[in-house]
Amino acid sequence: MPDVLEVIDPDVPNIEYFWELAESDREPSPKLIELMESYGGQAAYEVYSADISARQGTLKWPTISWLEVAYSTTTRVGLIVWNSGVPADAGSEIPKQAIAGWPDCDSPEHAIKRQQEKLAEDGKPPIVGITKCFDGEELHYRVLGHEQPEEARQ
């Protein structure tokens, strides 16, 4: 399989990220467990997760990132943990996780929609996935389609 950078144009901002939330069969991350305990306890929540994929035109590829959402039908709280998938020892500036919580949600998808709206309102990129890419033999972790120019990364 060729490196994703050989078949897409990473500088064109038409890369879409997508996922399909489903009841999770994986163990919640320690961060999601901590959030659930802070907001009513684990028993109050149903946990959903989804791997994040990307596409540019007709080309699709998996990223190494995933989402976890804990949703309580009784309190209508949605707790979100975005996991980058980047190993802690990779020396990357990409954070391991990002968290958000939203009250008054109708569903786990509604919590994600509210987070996406907040990111757009703040002028930040939407929820994205991290792609493993190679530059020759060197491994890089990149947010394709939403990267800042080199001079703005300081």
Side-chain angles (χ1 to χ4, degrees):
M1 177 177 197
D3 186 70
V4 70
L5 294 180
E6 294 176 16
V7 293
I8 68 152
D9 184 349
D11 298 321
V12 176
N14 67 344
I15 295 173
E16 300 174 275
Y17 291 92
F18 61 98
W19 53 84
E20 191 170 317
L21 280 180
E23 285 194 48
S24 184
D25 56 351
R26 60 175 110 183
E27 191 67 31
S29 67
K31 182 52 83 178
L32 186 60
I33 291 170
E34 178 185 321
L35 288 171
M36 288 187 288
E37 290 299 332
S38 296
Y39 294 94
Q42 290 184 57
Y45 292 90
E46 295 175 26
V47 177
Y48 301 83
S49 67
D51 293 328
I52 299 174
S53 296
R55 76 176 143 234
Q56 185 178 59
T58 59
L59 298 169
K60 296 178 184 177
W61 64 94
T63 71
I64 60 172
S65 305
W66 71 97
L67 285 170
E68 298 175 289
V69 180
Y71 178 70
S72 171
T73 55
T74 53
T75 63
R76 299 183 60 224
V77 169
L79 305 171
I80 303 168
V81 176
W82 171 83
N83 297 281
S84 71
V86 177
D89 62 353
S92 174
E93 294 178 16
I94 297 170
K96 181 175 168 49
Q97 295 178 315
I99 62 170
W102 292 98
D104 301 321
C105 293
D106 299 326
S107 66
E109 291 83 2
H110 187 217
I112 290 175
K113 179 180 181 221
R114 291 185 65 192
Q115 182 62 26
Q116 295 282 57
E117 290 168 350
K118 176 66 172 149
L119 290 168
E121 180 183 304
D122 292 347
K124 295 182 179 177
I127 295 172
V128 296
I130 308 301
T131 300
K132 244 193 309 192
C133 307
F134 288 90
D135 180 9
E137 296 293 316
E138 192 172 330
L139 175 64
H140 295 273
Y141 297 95
R142 294 183 57 184
V143 180
L144 301 174
H146 295 281
E147 293 178 305
Q148 293 178 324
E150 196 68 41
E151 60 274 5
R153 291 186 200 169
Q154 301 178 27

